[in-house]
Amino acid sequence: SQQGEEDPQALSIQEGENATMNCSYKTSINNLQWYRQNSGRGLVHLILIRSNEREKHSGRLRVTLDTSKKSSSLLITASRAADTASYFCATDGGGFKTIFGAGTRLFVKA
Amino acid sequence: DGGITQSPKYLFRKEGQNVTLSCEQNLNHDAMYWYRQDPGQGLRLIYYSQIVNDFQKGDIAEGYSVSREKKESFPLTVTSAQKNPTAFYLCAIRTGGNEQFFGPGTRLTVL
């Protein structure tokens, strides 16, 4: 089954720096989503980008999608300590399924 | 977490025991999902339901069972046939726009 794979697995940056996470997937998609998970909590939906879109913004988040390379990136600008979390990409898995990657763990140092 | 509740937050199971995890939603969505998350891993789909009285197996359904008698409720039973049930369990609803919204999760530990 297709699956998003995030890169890097872990990322540690200073507050105020930008954080970039990448996601690669295997087969054609209709949309790709990014979620955030704070430790021990449920996932929170951040942004959905459709296959006919190349870039989308939401506040300090910028998501790009390159369907020719089967890849997406999530950029968090001017990161804050509160951005410390795991970030997952998710792709439509056929039918009503959503396939989640293993995630990138982001640690923002104050 | 919105209008999705899961209970209990922590659950301990003895060997050979069945336990049931609750998931309730007041968001009036038809589609509900159960996922399992192991430490440092992504989510794996256990079961999902698109409508009342109907549900489908996900990728790791063995040792689990569900019911969907009401739109608001989608309980998951972890049976004694699930040999390694210690994990974090997440329930979610899916909107018409494909976004999923998650409950706060239940952490199950086998004693």
Side-chain angles (χ1 to χ4, degrees), chain A residues 15-107:
Chain A
E15 203 167 32
E17 294 180 339
N18 295 342
T20 300
M21 288 158 269
N22 303 296
C23 171
S24 60
Y25 56 92
K26 299 175 183 175
T27 61
S28 296
I29 59 172
N30 294 314
N31 61 74
L32 185 144
Q33 303 177 58
W34 284 92
Y35 290 81
R36 184 187 75 232
Q37 184 181 34
N38 291 90
S39 182
R41 306 289 297 275
L43 277 69
V44 174
H45 183 264
L46 295 177
I47 199 164
L48 180 150
I49 187 166
R50 303 197 185 283
S51 60
N52 61 353
E53 298 175 306
R54 290 296 167 260
E55 187 171 311
K56 204 164 184 179
H57 296 254
S58 177
R60 293 184 296 113
L61 306 181
R62 173 180 168 242
V63 169
T64 62
L65 179 64
D66 187 335
T67 53
S68 67
K69 295 181 180 178
K70 292 186 171 59
S71 68
S72 174
S73 68
L74 170 67
L75 169 67
I76 304 174
T77 60
S79 62
R80 306 165 182 168
D83 295 326
T84 294
S86 293
Y87 292 82
F88 296 89
C89 70
T91 54
D92 51 313
F96 297 101
K97 293 184 180 181
T98 300
I99 307 297
F100 290 83
T104 291
R105 293 185 180 186
L106 174 65
F107 181 65

Side-chain angles (χ1 to χ4, degrees), chain B residues 5-16:
Chain B
T5 59
Q6 290 186 242
S7 62
K9 186 172 182 178
Y10 299 98
L11 185 57
F12 298 92
R13 192 193 93 167
K14 296 180 181 179
E15 294 281 350

Side-chain angles (χ1 to χ4, degrees), chain A residues 1 30-31 33 35 37 39-45 48 50 88 92 94 96-103 105, chain B residues 1 33 35 37 39-43 45 48 50 57-59 88 90 94 97-104 107:
Chain A
S1 62
N30 294 314
N31 61 74
Q33 303 177 58
Y35 290 81
Q37 184 181 34
S39 182
R41 306 289 297 275
L43 277 69
V44 174
H45 183 264
L48 180 150
R50 303 197 185 283
F88 296 89
D92 51 313
F96 297 101
K97 293 184 180 181
T98 300
I99 307 297
F100 290 83
R105 293 185 180 186
Chain B
D1 299 341
Y33 295 74
Y35 295 93
Q37 185 179 34
Q41 302 296 313
L43 278 62
L45 181 63
Y48 62 105
Q50 300 305 307
K57 293 181 178 180
D59 300 318
F88 190 48
L90 287 162
R94 184 178 59 84
N98 268 346
E99 297 93 339
Q100 294 200 18
F101 293 90
F102 288 79
R107 189 166 299 280

Side-chain angles (χ1 to χ4, degrees), chain B residues 7-108:
Chain B
S7 62
K9 186 172 182 178
Y10 299 98
L11 185 57
F12 298 92
R13 192 193 93 167
K14 296 180 181 179
E15 294 281 350
Q17 190 178 43
N18 292 356
V19 291
T20 298
L21 284 60
S22 169
C23 177
E24 303 280 331
Q25 57 116 349
N26 61 5
L27 302 173
N28 200 36
H29 285 284
D30 288 312
M32 297 185 74
Y33 295 74
W34 273 107
Y35 295 93
R36 169 180 172 142
Q37 185 179 34
D38 292 285
Q41 302 296 313
L43 278 62
R44 291 186 289 169
L45 181 63
I46 306 173
Y47 268 97
Y48 62 105
S49 169
Q50 300 305 307
I51 199 167
V52 173
N53 293 323
D54 186 48
F55 48 83
Q56 288 78 40
K57 293 181 178 180
D59 300 318
I60 56 165
E62 186 174 351
Y64 300 97
S65 66
V66 293
S67 63
R68 187 79 188 277
E69 298 177 0
K70 300 185 300 181
K71 188 175 186 177
E72 300 80 14
S73 179
F74 190 39
L76 173 74
T77 296
V78 184
T79 75
S80 57
Q82 172 50 243
K83 297 307 178 188
N84 185 25
T86 294
F88 190 48
Y89 291 86
L90 287 162
C91 176
I93 61 95
R94 184 178 59 84
T95 70
N98 268 346
E99 297 93 339
Q100 294 200 18
F101 293 90
F102 288 79
T106 292
R107 189 166 299 280
L108 173 63

